[in-house]
Amino acid sequence: MTQLPVTITDVRAAADRLRGAANRTPVVTSRTFNGLTGRQVFFKCENLQRAGAFKFRGAYNRLAQLSAAEKQRGVVAFSSGNHAQGVALAAQLLGIPTTIVMPDDAPPVKLAATRGYGATVVLNNRQTTSREQIARQLADERGLTLVPPFDDAQIIAGQGTAALELLEEIPDLDALVVPVGGGGLISGCAIAAKGVRAKIAVYGVEPEGADDARQSLATGTIVHIAPPATIADGVRTQAIGTLTFAIMRELLSEIVLVSDAEILDAVRFVLTRMKLVVEPTGAVPIAAVMVNRIPRKLKRVGVIVSGGNIGAELLGAIMR
Amino acid sequence: MTQLPVTITDVRAAADRLRGAANRTPVVTSRTFNGLTGRQVFFKCENLQRAGAFKFRGAYNRLAQLSAAEKQRGVVAFSSGNHAQGVALAAQLLGIPTTIVMPDDAPPVKLAATRGYGATVVLNNRQTTSREQIARQLADERGLTLVPPFDDAQIIAGQGTAALELLEEIPDLDALVVPVGGGGLISGCAIAAKGVRAKIAVYGVEPEGADDARQSLATGTIVHIAPPATIADGVRTQAIGTLTFAIMRELLSEIVLVSDAEILDAVRFVLTRMKLVVEPTGAVPIAAVMVNRIPRKLKRVGVIVSGGNIGAELLGAIMR
């Protein structure tokens, strides 16, 4: 096996750093879901994580390791979604000044939440400028540390703590099913899961039309796709990273796809039957298990429910 | 102290019976909620219980103790809500034939859910006949055992297991806050909580306009009220029971009231910020803590979130 850029030791060290800062989220089960799918499924509820998604784990692990000087100068990140809030909250807890570059058409509630964690929000017009470019410029000009959303060893190690906790609680899983955007979550989780249970099978799930990771693993090179139109806004990334690609091609069994309709069915099932609010991205792996995209012989299945930050409008629409 | 009709020993025995049958529901916390209220609040999530509410605990404890002959003849219950589903599921698991008397204007989804657990549903017209009367008649004619919704020692002991689990996990609570309908849940929980931690203060919460229990404790006699109009459909009972009255007057610190607007605010907060679906009745004690109806000196507070069976229409309306 190739030497990977992140090891189980890194994930364990991240778990130590996160203790007391991150929620140890509950693992829930549903006999109805089990009956429906003919499996025993264990949902790791990162929708109940601080700031509503797993992103806080990686951000906190990254920021906690900055030098005193770096902490004093501050950090910058670009994101319209959960990464923004994860970084802002982690920085607030660690007393680090934060700037987040967000699109000027982001939902007001997300802007307010990010500011609520004490971050300075810089708005950009997505038609005319690149958020990433602005963030890099701010980093250069002001000496800020750029916190990347996924392609970073410390971010990856932090995200892996979700799977580490799940496996501590349910050690004898046959498979782990994880949504794939940039690949930070699944890379960390695969390292953690394989690190404590070598024979576990790890499956990634992407929405149809956002299958850049599947294409990349199939072709053996990182494939860039056009901006995908899926409802799962957390996995609309156009390309996975260099580190995450290296880890995913080594550790994943397969990447499977689900449709937006299947994703929404899963959101609705979890909301009405399991009484949990999950965002479409969090429902991506749930949908894959519901419609049996994972081999039937895998009976004990862990699912990383990545987040719960769904807009009120969409939730209302789903209920109608 | 008067000899009460249910003891901590009964609750412990119920916990043994429920092991493997009921979910050991998670206890969740929210730093946002804590910041808002200046307390440390621990939510016992009975919305994640089987059939979506604590009712399964009492029903299963009651039904498991029937004789072989009683089990064979079957049981009957009357309910339009969570008790119906709790009894139906418990009976299904124990292989007991069940008849549930439900109003003919009950939501189709609740009729379907009850039938889904294998129960025979008998419909009654609430304008012309009493559900309780029909249930009693069926019990008499067919030798069925009537499973009362709350005023029964075994039902009460079963409901108490929710508080027993909470105190096992968080032993040093100052207070426990519980919704009050017929009083089965709060009676069992008060016995469990006081049984393992004598100095804990137990608060009941009722909606304004459904304050029959508060009036009963104030006057020292069971007060019957007109059918209450609160949105919290699980606590629309018109009078508490004889057993539950005896327990409540002995063990409760106070019963406090919340408005329907406060209840809906709590449902909305828990849904959007804590990513949990709770029904209005489950949000009744949450509302009381949110608006500080409980003395401020009580810092570590347990809340029994009784259930999550909220209709899609109401959920949609709350989101708009």
Side-chain angles (χ1 to χ4, degrees), chain A:
Chain A
M1 191 161 112
T2 325
Q3 176 66 41
L4 293 175
V6 180
T7 68
I8 179 74
T9 309
D10 299 323
V11 180
R12 290 196 196 281
D16 287 339
R17 272 178 219 111
L18 286 171
R19 199 158 291 127
N23 288 341
R24 189 180 174 104
T25 53
V27 177
V28 308
T29 58
S30 161
R31 289 177 180 78
T32 309
F33 192 90
N34 290 348
L36 209 65
T37 57
R39 313 187 200 241
Q40 288 191 280
V41 183
F42 301 88
F43 299 86
K44 175 67 171 169
C45 289
E46 288 300 294
N47 57 327
L48 307 181
Q49 186 50 266
R50 296 185 79 169
F54 73 95
K55 289 282 188 182
F56 174 74
R57 295 179 183 267
Y60 190 92
N61 187 51
R62 178 73 170 84
L63 268 50
Q65 296 179 71
L66 292 178
S67 71
E70 286 170 330
K71 283 180 178 160
Q72 207 181 346
R73 286 198 298 273
V75 298
V76 61
F78 54 96
S79 162
S80 60
N82 291 332
H83 181 57
Q85 292 174 58
V87 170
L89 174 58
Q92 183 182 48
L93 295 175
L94 293 162
I96 300 172
T98 317
T99 304
I100 309 281
V101 184
M102 298 180 78
D104 57 10
D105 60 352
V109 61
K110 293 211 168 177
L111 296 176
T114 306
R115 290 192 179 110
Y117 292 125
T120 302
V121 172
V122 172
L123 296 175
N124 90 304
N125 181 323
R126 48 165 117 220
Q127 310 309 324
T128 58
T129 52
S130 142
R131 277 180 297 163
E132 179 165 359
Q133 209 175 341
I134 294 181
R136 290 197 185 282
Q137 199 178 326
L138 286 169
D140 287 346
E141 288 172 8
R142 306 187 191 171
L144 307 180
T145 301
L146 183 69
V147 187
F150 50 82
D151 209 32
D152 175 284
Q154 294 171 359
I155 298 275
I156 292 169
Q159 320 302 30
T161 59
L164 190 66
E165 290 175 7
L166 172 58
L167 271 288
E168 276 170 14
E169 209 155 314
I170 317 288
D172 55 345
L173 291 178
D174 300 324
L176 186 65
V177 188
V178 187
V180 179
L185 177 63
I186 196 167
S187 294
C189 286
I191 286 159
K194 293 275 191 183
V196 300
R197 183 170 172 84
K199 69 175 181 177
I200 196 170
V202 180
Y203 286 83
V205 189
E206 289 184 309
E208 293 169 0
D211 66 338
D212 60 291
R214 194 191 58 78
Q215 290 184 40
S216 301
L217 294 197
T219 59
T221 181
I222 297 174
V223 173
H224 291 251
I225 60 170
T230 172
I231 194 165
D233 57 343
V235 290
R236 282 188 197 139
T237 23
Q238 295 173 248
I240 57 178
T242 311
L243 301 182
T244 56
F245 177 60
I247 296 168
M248 288 162 72
R249 68 187 304 187
E250 187 73 31
L251 300 182
L252 264 53
S253 292
E254 195 186 345
I255 292 186
V256 300
L257 305 181
V258 291
S259 70
D260 273 16
E262 289 165 344
I263 293 169
L264 286 176
D265 278 348
V267 171
R268 199 176 291 114
F269 180 92
V270 174
L271 189 77
T272 57
R273 303 301 299 265
M274 294 176 61
K275 317 299 177 191
L276 293 169
V277 179
V278 302
E279 59 185 270
T281 303
V284 161
I286 302 173
V289 180
M290 272 179 84
V291 297
N292 278 308
R293 296 279 136 79
I294 311 298
R296 288 182 184 275
K297 65 172 185 200
L298 301 168
K299 291 300 182 196
R300 292 175 66 81
V301 176
V303 172
I304 307 286
V305 181
S306 57
N309 293 326
I310 184 172
E313 319 69 43
L314 179 55
L315 207 53
I318 286 174
M319 286 294 91
R320 275 192 286 279

